[in-house]
Amino acid sequence: MHDDRSLVENRLKRVLDERVRPAVYPASVPLQVGIWTAPGEPVPVAEGLAAPRTPIGVGDAWGAPWSTSWLTVSGTVPEEWAGRTVEALIDLGFDANMPGFQCEGLVYRPDGSPVKGLNPRNQWVRIAAPARGGEEVLLHVEAAANPVILDYHPFLPTGLGDQDTAGDTPQYRLARMDLAVFDETVWQLVADLEVLGELMAELPVEGARRWEILRAVERALDALDLQDVGGTAAAARTELAGVLASPAEPSAHRISAVGHAHIDSAWLWPLRETVRKVARTTANMTALLEDEPDFVYTMSQAQQYAWIKEHRPEVYARVKKAVAEGRFVPAGGMWVESDTNMPSSEAMARQFTHGKRFFLDEFGVENQEAWLPDTFGFAGGLPQIIKEAGSKWLLTQKISWSQVNSFPHHTFWWEGVDGTRIYTHFPPVDTYNCSMQGKEIAHAVRNFKDKGRARHSIAPTGWGDGGGGTTREMIAKAARLRDLEGSARVRWERPAEFFAKAQAEYPDPPVWVGELYLELHRATLTSQARTKQGNRASENLLREAELWCATAAVRTGLPYPYAELDRIWKTVLLHQFHDILPGSSIAWVHREAERTYAAVAEELTALVDRAQRALAGDGPADGEVVFNGAPHPRGGVPAGGARRAAELPQAPGRCTVTARPEGGFVLGNGLLRAVVDARGLLVSVVDLDTGRETVAPGAAANLLQIHPDFPNMWDAWDVDRFYRNTVTDLTGVDELTVTADTAGAVAVRVTRSFGASRAVQTLTLTAGAKRLDLDTEVDWHETEKFLKAAFPLDLHTDRYAAETQFGHLYRPTHANTSWEAAKFEACNHKFVHFEEPGWGVALVTASTYGHDVTRTVRPADHGTTTTVRASLLRAPRFPDPHTDQGTHRFRHALVPGAGIGDAVREGYLINLPERRVPGSADVAPLVGVADPAVVVSAVKLADDGSGDVVVRLYEAGGGRARTRLSASFALAGARLCDLLERPRDEEVPVEGDEVPVVLRPFQLLTLRLSRA
């Protein structure tokens, strides 16, 4: 037979595009449209409905960036349409290729009740089925003129991401505004032809199945009268029925489809717009659930449910009903789909605490899965947190974006730093926006790495990022793929159903140990420094507020601020969303975040101050009490306690500073001797206890270095390896002076100018501290540059430790393999630590997350130089063209001679400075532990208002610990709890006012202490 395959396939494409799809709506009449544009931010629904309208027509411009317009569309169903299905087609000027990334609308009835959302792939509104001739149609549309930030030429700098720079030029023109007849038979024919055509394109040309489909399609096209598509569509469908009924092979891959709309809580739109995006999407999805009995939809992020509850209660009522029916599935159990690299231990725990508790309180749903499809890599402490929150599964997708190495598994056990394992699935469909296209389904089958051992995977299905969700077209395709020869079998299933089947089928998959590092988006550890510093400051203040408010409640009866702390935690957790904290959102988001963090700091500082003043008591006018919120003693003040300043011992030793003849200064405090040369660079730091030099020979530390920084794409997200090819050392000095010279502290300040920017670095030695404090203030006005602070260490090691949640993990200092070479920018929390047997160095930080580590061998002495560089600032131009411009302050400290315990301690101390309050009372810590390797990460009152004291602690050194937790109040009992403060079965023995504690490496424990 002659090969006419291409002829038939091309015929199918043209007939579908030009005849069949247009025939879905065979008759239409125009709607009348009126418009009113709100003068500022979005207005309440009642105001939008009542506002006066002016006429507007198809082709007319509307919608300045970020504005909201209210449209009224009206019309009459023609008499001849009686008995037909009628829909309104409302096209606000959509680009079909940008669902979620441009204008959108929410349709309301005249009474103000929401109907459904409008977006580029969902423009229809059902009017009646069947319709009555002469029926009047009146709908209102709240239309959001969200500008297109990520356009066809992506990553171009734009002012559209901020109201102040977006301008007022209309962005859109109204397109189709019609009442139309909907032909169900033609619509079903479109789904038949699309599914078969897409499947056919994925089958081998030499296989019989492809040709069987081809011939059936040819017969269907022959049966179709292109001048009367509606009248012949049924006959065409009959020709396709046989190939659509042929069942899948017994060995076919199984795909659990779950309706989904990954809605970024902020990204190329502000938070206030996400509130409306969620309402539009959930309005659509609840309506779709009513129409499609097999369909299941899932949505994560408790914050988004809370937004609907507050702002669109009618939609929330529909959501609650669908949740109760088991068809709208709350997923993930987190407050938002947060970044997991940068949030602190407690913040990561509270993501689950607040998320799971919301779902339990609102729906009675206990999530078993963590749901993080789009997060930019996963910290090694996360498995333990997931398990302690009462969950056991994890889904992610983003690892498929890695640039260098293909992850070797799709289903696996992920083992965290403490040894906890979580059953993890990474969907082979390689998208969290699956649309049920044949190429997506075929890719999932081909790509699945666990063939022969497993045959189940999951496919989150629906338009996402900017929302939209699943469409009726996707559901129609899934119905045809339920049992179709040549395809995977597709079923709508809840995430828990998928995981239960997958784990039963494949109970012993391979194990991946340590972090799940994303080989992409590494610059998110640095972009938008103010957002990151606001997060760090908020986390520290929340720790202190809980500690001191709990202490004051127990000691003085001061009411504990349950509601305030709950609200503030949720605000901070929201801003840890994976496009806010990473610095990859538009300018509007980050300017708003800066204001929010300032308000959070003010409120938390007031809570801390109120509690501390209640604890400090009255005293002489010049009396002071020193509070230590760190989990380690400091300067005579116990961890979590306070002492009168007059009783504190003087720091041992004396600080000195001496000018060098060749320029620069020598600083000493009896523990360290630091040499700053004439360039203001740190050329020597000697540990006087051992005589060991910290800085590599011939090198200089605290060296600012600047690189060009223009990645190939994803500007705010990415730093590409070639940035290292060009580097400029900033060694010019404007001024080098001694700024402090006392017995208690000495300091040298160096001022440098470079480009359009200026940096002031202050190096301080304090009496009694084996630590050199480094303060860097940068007035930054560079563009597409990367600023780092380098510390070349005279130290030989093939690995280093970086702090993560509830512990630390080790990374190599070399690049032996492609996996190691890909980690050229990585995350730490409060410290990185380098060690040779018996001696180490820590670099601790209160300000930064990103860093890089390299090693070289010196030709002169063949010694190893291990260089760590803290990443300070970037200046990408997309999506915020003014990223990081202005003044920033960074605090680091170099700790020579540090063991891992010293690194842990100094990391906490730099982040939690002492506070001084007028008063005269010593304050004993509520709880204490004798073993310095055991860190108390939280002290608070139980969220249930019982008055129980909740203590969270963990082993921080990577070894085993056996110690005792002592309480300074009478104990009635102690229980082990999960993160939600729910007691486990076993009771903990109480011996007087002490609780014995045994911990494995990096294990976290939550204890609930009942007061007698």
Side-chain angles (χ1 to χ4, degrees), residues 222-267:
D222 290 342
L224 196 65
D225 182 348
L226 300 187
Q227 308 308 313
D228 184 17
V229 172
T232 55
R237 293 197 71 204
T238 299
E239 297 296 336
L240 301 173
V243 289
L244 284 168
S246 183
E249 296 90 346
S251 61
H253 187 72
R254 271 74 166 168
I255 290 179
S256 297
V258 58
H260 187 50
H262 170 72
I263 302 178
D264 287 313
S265 289
W267 180 27

Side-chain angles (χ1 to χ4, degrees), residues 195 244 247-248 253-255 294 476-485 487-493:
V195 166
L244 284 168
H253 187 72
R254 271 74 166 168
I255 290 179
D294 292 334
K477 287 187 172 185
R480 287 156 175 81
L481 297 172
R482 185 176 179 86
D483 191 11
L484 182 62
E485 183 184 355
S487 171
R489 285 191 170 96
V490 176
R491 301 280 192 283
W492 293 108
E493 292 185 311

Side-chain angles (χ1 to χ4, degrees), residues 54-211:
T54 56
I56 187 173
V58 169
D60 290 344
W62 74 280
W66 304 116
S67 67
T68 298
S69 294
W70 283 83
L71 303 171
T72 296
V73 296
S74 58
T76 304
V77 176
E79 293 291 345
E80 60 270 26
W81 293 3
R84 308 286 296 274
T85 298
V86 176
E87 295 182 345
L89 301 179
I90 302 176
D91 186 342
L92 301 175
F94 296 129
D95 181 332
N97 295 319
M98 291 188 175
F101 291 89
Q102 54 175 251
C103 60
E104 300 173 49
L106 182 58
V107 180
Y108 295 88
R109 298 182 185 88
D111 64 2
S113 58
V115 180
K116 71 185 297 285
L118 298 173
N119 62 53
R121 300 293 181 99
N122 208 326
Q123 303 176 21
W124 59 274
V125 183
R126 179 64 56 89
I127 300 300
R132 291 180 289 105
E135 181 177 349
E136 295 297 324
V137 175
L138 180 63
L139 297 171
H140 302 281
V141 181
E142 181 187 18
N146 301 332
V148 176
I149 306 291
L150 192 67
D151 214 332
Y152 285 99
H153 187 165
F155 316 121
L156 290 179
T158 175
L160 290 171
D162 195 321
Q163 286 176 305
D164 294 338
T165 57
D168 57 6
T169 302
Q171 302 288 291
Y172 300 101
R173 291 186 181 275
L174 289 186
R176 190 171 187 180
M177 292 281 174
D178 288 342
L179 270 184
V181 171
F182 175 73
D183 191 321
E184 172 82 17
T185 304
V186 176
W187 184 83
Q188 295 287 1
L189 176 61
V190 170
D192 291 344
L193 291 171
E194 286 183 347
V195 166
L196 290 171
E198 291 167 5
L199 173 60
M200 184 168 57
E202 300 300 325
L203 294 172
V205 174
E206 63 276 11
R209 176 63 171 165
R210 180 161 181 162
W211 290 89

